[in-house]
Amino acid sequence: MKIVEQIKNPIAHEMELFEEKFRLSMASRIPLLNRITYFIVNRKGKQMRPMFVFLVAKMIGNGQVNDRTYRGAAVIE
């Protein structure tokens, strides 16, 4: 198993939800802006920054994340 997969394993569910919430948060009524954000959302990298947000949130939040965690992960991404 690759190291990134090992890091992502404890937060796999949160990352799935994050991807959906991130995509929805980037939607706009402005067609040109939608076209630009399409490339941002679909250029999937390792998403290390959001992973660290979720890992830290789970460490200090007794294993829980909330909506603020998802917003923070989206902002940092």
Side-chain angles (χ1 to χ4, degrees):
M1 183 180 290
K2 293 182 180 181
I3 189 71
V4 174
E5 292 173 9
Q6 290 176 342
I7 295 169
K8 196 183 248 187
N9 194 32
I11 53 167
H13 177 69
E14 287 83 1
M15 289 302 293
E16 287 178 24
L17 288 175
F18 168 73
E19 289 180 29
E20 179 66 23
K21 289 176 184 261
F22 184 62
R23 190 169 10 92
L24 291 173
S25 73
M26 297 295 283
S28 170
R29 294 183 198 167
I30 303 168
L32 178 59
L33 190 55
N34 275 334
R35 212 176 328 161
I36 293 167
T37 58
Y38 170 83
F39 292 105
I40 294 170
V41 171
N42 288 316
R43 63 145 184 84
K44 291 242 341 189
K46 292 183 205 107
Q47 297 181 320
M48 295 301 289
R49 290 178 295 263
M51 282 196 297
F52 290 135
V53 169
F54 290 116
L55 288 168
V56 170
K58 286 186 111 175
M59 281 182 1
I60 64 173
N62 294 324
Q64 302 294 317
V65 297
N66 57 31
D67 284 337
R68 291 177 66 192
T69 308
Y70 287 100
R71 283 194 303 269
V75 167
I76 202 166
E77 181 63 9

